[in-house]
């Protein structure tokens, strides 16, 4: 029971941190510059970047700071010798161990195909329900007609910043924490499956659209598998970039909505 409560607490913490960061930054920027200016490409990019930064600080660093304050350790002993170990351990926990490999690069397109098949199957299943609109457009914050420098800003935000930040938060920090929690009480396979489903469910919920939520749920399931296979989030980041890159090309280059 304690494990389940702890896992629920982690999910709530991540979900609230992500949504609260978006709301806080969004309302502040609208108040400072007005709604009309806020929806312009550069302010939208700044909003996205600040939201992700604040969310990552809340999710990753605040719990660690609070935990460290509760620990009683000799400052001189830990000041230097344990710092490198802690840093390496933190990177591993976030799935940032080492650098991307050829395996990561090869698994990304393979994972992308698996994601498309799973997403198509889930979309077909949910289409049986009248409240599910598979063709509803996703709100990404940028106008379809961005060109020139604005298009570059939109590309960096959607294809680079968003995938990296979301993978660090969900398939990095959250997946690692849940795996550890469930592994203490359950088998390795149960820990993998439950952690994958919970991370993917929350990832779908925070996108706040039924059709988008189902789609990114499928993508998250595959990316969690890639995290488990490789031990890092690099293949997932590349898959995420590939997915967002194709969507960006269709939406902002070809103008297909």
């Amino acid at each position: 029971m304690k494990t389940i409560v702890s896992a629920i607490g982690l999910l709530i913490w991540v979900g609230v941190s992500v949504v609260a960061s978006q709301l806080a930054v969004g309302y502040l920027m609208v108040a400072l510059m007005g709604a009309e200016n806020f929806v312009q490409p550069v302010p939208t990019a700044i909003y996205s970047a600040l939201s992700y930064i604040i969310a990552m600080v809340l999710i990753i660093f605040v719990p660690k700071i609070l935990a460290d304050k509760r620990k009683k350790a000799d400052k001189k002993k830990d000041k230097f010798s344990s710092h490198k170990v802690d840093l390496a351990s933190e990177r591993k926990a976030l799935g940032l161990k080492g650098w991307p490999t050829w395996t990561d690069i090869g698994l990304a397109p393979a994972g992308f195909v698996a994601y498309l098949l799973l997403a198509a199957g889930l979309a077909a299943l949910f289409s049986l329900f009248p409240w599910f609109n598979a063709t509803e457009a996703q709100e990404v914050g940028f106008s379809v007609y961005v060109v020139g420098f604005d298009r570059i800003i939109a590309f960096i935000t959607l294809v680079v910043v968003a995938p990296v930040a979301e993978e660090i938060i969900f398939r990095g920090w959250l997946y690692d924490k849940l795996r550890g929690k469930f592994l203490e009480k359950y088998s390795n396979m149960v820990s993998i499956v439950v952690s994958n489903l919970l991370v993917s469910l929350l990832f779908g919920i925070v996108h706040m659209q039924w059709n988008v939520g189902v789609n990114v749920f499928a993508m998250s399931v595959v990316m969690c598998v890639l995290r488990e296979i490789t031990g890092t989030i690099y293949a997932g980041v590349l898959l995420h970039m590939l997915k967002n890159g194709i969507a960006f090309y269709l939406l902002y280059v070809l103008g297909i909505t």
Side-chain angles (χ1 to χ4, degrees):
M1 186 65 181
K2 183 179 178 181
T3 300
I4 296 175
V5 171
S6 181
I8 293 174
L10 287 172
L11 293 168
I12 293 174
W13 175 247
V14 171
V16 170
S17 296
V18 170
V19 175
S21 299
Q22 293 173 344
L23 292 176
V25 175
Y27 279 117
L28 178 61
M29 291 185 67
V30 168
L32 291 175
M33 64 179 59
E36 292 184 1
N37 293 323
F38 173 70
V39 297
Q40 298 301 313
V42 172
T44 299
I46 294 173
Y47 156 76
S48 297
L50 287 177
S51 297
Y52 283 127
I53 290 172
I54 293 174
M56 285 192 287
V57 169
L58 288 174
I59 293 166
I60 298 171
F61 296 108
V62 170
K64 179 174 173 54
I65 292 171
L66 295 176
D68 288 344
K69 285 185 176 181
R70 291 194 296 265
K71 292 180 180 178
K72 293 181 180 180
D74 181 48
K75 294 182 180 180
K76 291 183 179 180
K77 180 180 177 181
D78 295 334
K79 186 174 182 181
F80 296 107
S81 61
S82 65
H83 180 66
K84 284 189 175 180
V85 176
D86 289 342
L87 183 60
S89 177
E90 285 298 320
R91 286 196 62 187
K92 182 179 180 181
L94 292 175
L96 296 172
K97 179 181 63 177
W99 296 95
T101 65
W102 287 109
T103 299
D104 296 319
I105 296 172
L107 284 174
F112 183 74
V113 174
Y115 141 66
L116 289 178
L117 294 174
L118 179 58
L122 290 176
L125 177 63
F126 274 85
S127 293
L128 298 174
F129 301 97
W131 42 261
F132 182 79
N133 180 9
T135 62
E136 183 181 0
Q138 181 178 2
E139 178 56 55
V140 296
F142 292 95
S143 168
V144 176
Y145 304 105
V146 290
V147 295
F149 179 73
D150 289 344
R151 181 179 288 177
I152 295 174
I153 292 295
F155 178 87
I156 294 173
T157 303
L158 299 175
V159 185
V160 180
V161 175
V164 171
E166 290 178 350
E167 292 314 301
I168 289 175
I169 292 172
F170 290 93
R171 265 63 61 180
W173 190 87
L174 182 58
Y175 183 77
D176 178 78
K177 294 296 182 184
L178 290 175
R179 278 280 278 123
K181 291 290 182 184
F182 287 112
L183 196 57
E184 292 175 359
K185 294 291 183 179
Y186 305 101
S187 68
N188 187 53
M189 183 54 67
V190 169
S191 174
I192 292 172
V193 173
V194 175
S195 299
N196 187 328
L197 292 177
L198 289 178
V199 168
S200 302
L201 182 62
L202 179 63
F203 191 57
I205 290 173
V206 298
H207 281 78
M208 298 181 183
Q209 286 181 234
W210 268 110
N211 64 324
V212 177
V214 169
N215 186 278
V216 299
F217 171 86
M219 184 171 68
S220 177
V221 168
V222 174
M223 292 189 296
C224 285
V225 172
L226 294 179
R227 166 75 198 265
E228 197 64 42
I229 292 172
T230 64
T232 69
I233 63 171
Y234 298 131
V237 169
L238 293 173
L239 188 163
H240 203 153
M241 286 181 171
L242 178 61
K243 184 258 187 186
N244 284 17
I246 292 174
F248 180 89
Y249 179 76
L250 293 175
L251 185 60
Y252 296 110
V253 178
L254 299 183
I256 300 175
T257 59

